[in-house]
Amino acid sequence: MEWAPVIISLKTASVSILITFAIGTWLAYLVCRIRKDSVRSTIDAILTLPLVLPPTVAGFLLLYIFGSYRPLGELLGEIGVRIVFNWQATVIAAVVISFPLMYRSAKAAFVQVDPIFMQAARTIGLSERRIVFRILLPLAAPGLASGGILAFSRGLGEFGATALIAGNIPGVTRTMPLAIYSAVVGGRTEEAYRYVVILILVSFIFVWLLSFLTDRRTTRQRSGERTPRL
Amino acid sequence: MKRNHLLIIVFAFIIALASFAGCSSGGGEAATEEPAATEEPAATEEQAAPEEEAPAVSGAVMIAAAASLENAFEGDLKPLFNAQYPDVTVTGTYDSSGKLQEQIEGGLEADIFFSAALKQMDALVEGGFIDAAAVTDLLLNEVVLITSPQSETKVTSFDNITEAKSIAIGDPASVPAGQYAQEVLTTLGVWDKVESTASMGTNVTEVLNWVAEGSAEVGIVYATDAASMPDDVKVLAIASPETMQTPVVYPVAELIRVTEENKAATDAFVEFIKSPEAMSVFESYGFKPYEG
């Protein structure tokens, strides 16, 4: 068994979660601040779509953007950047597919923060920036952490969009899910079995961590004062 | 049956036209259309007439054919055959040759087997499902190097394939076209280089799409695959037979199990598949006649 797919998958998931965490949290914050209900719902729906659409749809759209013969892809190609069939493409696919999990978790976490804290902070003249970093984010931390873990695990398992834009190059873009698929259709059941076990183990550890974190949070909430929800 | 309906409709149309022409006392347009319309049923009769027994042949034929033959059969060959033999019902089942072989061994009631490789045909001959004398090596598929029409690749043949920034082939572990690609590139001494940089598609469509989108600069597929997407991929080179251990041959044969009542229909269909008329259809789908 080759270890390359395991390393590629972990590398992809690790880099993509940094991007997903930052963008997901930031967009969730921005969407929460939109006052107009119809606008907010529309943007919310668009940002959630990759969660319900098959990854092949996301992969197809990504090809439309970054494909070698598409405007942006050609522009990038002229400055020597090739997205498709490179390792970076596995990260892009993982970010797009895991993004909604981060975004929705962050949004739920922000909504649950009692606005009275922010109002109190505003009355004593704290800047909006400080309110976000000192009050909102720490209070939403457990929700953000669970979103991050979910997104990381999803990125680790990304298959459909990756196959479309990153290809299946052993040692470069062949992630664990692609290695499993190639092994199964190639009749190498033993090899597939090993990757499956590794993938299940890693995913289990992270999802267990998630349950552990959320359980702890709810018990603490139950024992302490119940925070009113919006 | 459908053919009969069509004939009735065409006939009714002609009568309507003729009466219309009669009423309007020689209206120019109707008069010119009339002979054109009458030509159609006449032609059908002519085609059927030379073979004395042709109108009498009826029955049902099931052909089990490699997936790469599906378009040729469903799109052209079945309608062409039914124009000659309206009373024969042809059904097709299309899958990978290996799966079809297993299905026939498992009791699939096919009358004709059209395989994409000799291996599966040989297995069925050995298994007593097909008479060795009935097998005809009919078609040849070629292994081709493709690129996108928009590509500015420097690659011109299999020899300088390593000049491509990215290469797509079928995974030799699971895709027959990939096994042939490996054979060709090994003979040319570039397989080691290609293997470490190529994207391994798990089916041929994936390889085609990668090349069509320009994700892969060049790819290796069958000539028939390339012919299925003429607007999106173009053929750079055809692998020479010397670089392959075995040519890609498609054998066809009637099964031993064919029943008495469908025998004439099956024979007629096999004859039709081997006819020059059918060959020109196969050629339009990228096949070559096999002259071994």
Side-chain angles (χ1 to χ4, degrees):
Chain A
M1 188 191 79
E2 298 259 339
W3 282 98
V6 182
I7 295 162
I8 293 168
S9 271
L10 288 172
K11 228 170 84 183
T12 299
S14 306
V15 173
S16 69
I17 191 57
L18 295 179
I19 302 169
T20 309
F21 192 92
I23 302 178
T25 308
W26 181 57
L27 283 180
Y29 171 72
L30 290 184
V31 169
C32 282
R33 284 168 58 105
I34 296 172
R35 290 279 161 263
K36 207 163 176 332
D37 280 349
S38 58
V39 177
R40 195 176 57 242
S41 304
T42 309
I43 294 176
D44 188 56
I46 293 170
L47 294 177
T48 306
L49 266 186
L51 184 68
V52 291
L53 286 173
T56 41
V57 173
F60 180 82
L61 293 176
L62 285 173
L63 257 189
Y64 237 84
I65 299 169
F66 294 111
S68 295
Y69 306 131
R70 307 294 176 193
L72 186 61
E74 264 182 357
L75 205 73
L76 287 170
E78 261 160 47
I79 57 166
V81 181
R82 230 179 94 87
I83 301 286
V84 288
F85 269 42
N86 271 326
W87 176 73
Q88 290 90 305
T90 66
V91 175
I92 292 176
V95 166
V96 170
I97 299 299
S98 63
F99 169 82
L101 289 168
M102 184 66 227
Y103 160 76
R104 291 207 73 82
S105 302
K107 203 174 132 238
F110 289 151
V111 169
Q112 283 189 20
V113 172
D114 194 335
I116 201 154
F117 294 117
M118 270 90 84
Q119 280 157 16
R122 277 187 203 106
T123 55
I124 57 166
L126 271 169
S127 72
E128 205 58 29
R129 200 186 149 84
R130 285 190 75 154
I131 292 173
V132 169
F133 282 97
R134 289 297 183 75
I135 296 164
L136 183 66
L137 287 180
L139 282 173
L144 294 179
S146 62
I149 290 169
L150 267 182
F152 177 84
S153 313
R154 182 64 190 86
L156 202 60
E158 170 38 36
F159 172 74
T162 310
L164 276 177
I165 66 161
N168 190 352
I169 309 172
V172 184
T173 63
R174 179 176 281 181
T175 57
M176 263 194 282
L178 284 159
I180 291 169
Y181 190 68
S182 297
V184 171
V185 295
R188 302 187 303 274
T189 321
E190 274 291 294
E191 192 185 324
Y193 174 74
R194 292 200 185 100
Y195 290 127
V196 166
V197 169
I198 294 174
L199 201 53
I200 290 178
L201 270 181
V202 176
S203 304
F204 177 81
I205 292 169
F206 281 100
V207 178
W208 181 85
L209 211 64
L210 164 76
S211 308
F212 185 73
L213 280 176
T214 38
D215 277 358
R216 230 179 35 161
R217 184 177 49 165
T218 35
T219 23
R220 203 178 50 200
Q221 275 177 356
R222 228 174 274 139
S223 57
E225 279 175 53
R226 258 188 78 90
T227 36
R229 294 175 185 196
L230 279 174
Chain B
M1 290 305 273
K2 269 180 192 162
R3 187 71 208 173
N4 285 346
H5 284 301
L6 199 70
L7 279 177
I8 291 167
I9 292 168
V10 171
F11 210 72
F13 184 58
I14 294 162
I15 292 169
L17 263 184
S19 54
F20 178 71
C23 288
S24 63
S25 60
E29 264 183 51
T32 45
E33 254 176 60
E34 193 189 339
T38 36
E39 239 168 48
E40 212 188 306
T44 325
E45 270 166 42
E46 251 175 66
Q47 274 174 6
E51 295 177 53
E52 282 295 300
E53 78 279 60
V57 173
S58 67
V61 182
M62 190 208 241
I63 178 161
S68 44
L69 292 163
E70 176 165 1
N71 292 339
F73 272 104
E74 293 299 316
D76 289 301
L77 293 173
K78 266 168 66 173
L80 269 175
F81 178 72
N82 278 133
Q84 290 177 30
Y85 298 92
D87 295 330
V88 177
T89 320
V90 180
T91 45
T93 173
Y94 309 95
D95 210 324
S96 76
S97 304
K99 274 206 196 112
L100 292 174
Q101 177 206 328
E102 278 172 28
Q103 287 171 358
I104 289 171
E105 285 165 349
L108 174 73
E109 301 200 321
D111 302 297
I112 300 169
F113 180 47
F114 206 155
S115 170
L118 296 169
K119 189 179 146 202
Q120 289 80 17
M121 186 62 86
D122 293 345
L124 287 179
V125 170
E126 260 173 51
F129 294 92
I130 287 165
D131 185 358
V135 181
T136 308
D137 295 343
L138 193 67
L139 301 176
L140 184 72
N141 208 344
E142 289 170 314
V143 174
V144 297
L145 183 67
I146 55 165
T147 189
S148 158
Q150 300 172 62
S151 158
E152 289 157 7
T153 182
K154 292 194 196 87
V155 178
T156 51
S157 74
F158 285 90
D159 303 281
N160 63 352
I161 190 171
T162 47
E163 284 189 30
K165 280 197 217 78
S166 48
I167 302 167
I169 61 171
D171 192 336
S174 56
V175 184
Q179 288 157 17
Y180 282 106
Q182 182 180 1
E183 239 175 60
V184 171
L185 297 174
T186 306
T187 313
L188 295 172
V190 292
W191 172 246
D192 289 343
K193 266 192 190 164
V194 171
E195 192 188 12
S196 56
T197 54
S199 189
M200 307 283 186
T202 45
N203 59 59
V204 166
T205 319
E206 208 173 1
V207 177
L208 279 174
N209 287 330
W210 282 337
V211 174
E213 276 297 333
S215 303
E217 203 175 306
V218 296
I220 300 176
V221 294
Y222 285 135
T224 48
D225 302 321
S228 71
M229 290 173 82
D231 299 333
D232 300 309
V233 299
K234 69 169 189 203
V235 174
L236 284 171
I238 298 168
S240 74
E242 295 87 62
T243 54
M244 290 190 284
Q245 284 164 9
T246 47
V248 192
V249 175
Y250 282 54
V252 62
E254 196 174 311
L255 271 78
I256 291 170
R257 65 154 291 279
V258 176
T259 57
E260 199 60 44
E261 69 173 305
N262 290 329
K263 180 79 177 137
T266 306
D267 287 346
F269 196 48
V270 171
E271 271 317 302
F272 170 75
I273 290 172
K274 294 179 190 170
S275 70
E277 192 187 4
M279 185 56 75
S280 62
V281 170
F282 286 127
E283 278 175 314
S284 71
Y285 283 91
F287 289 102
K288 287 267 163 66
Y290 178 67
E291 291 136 0

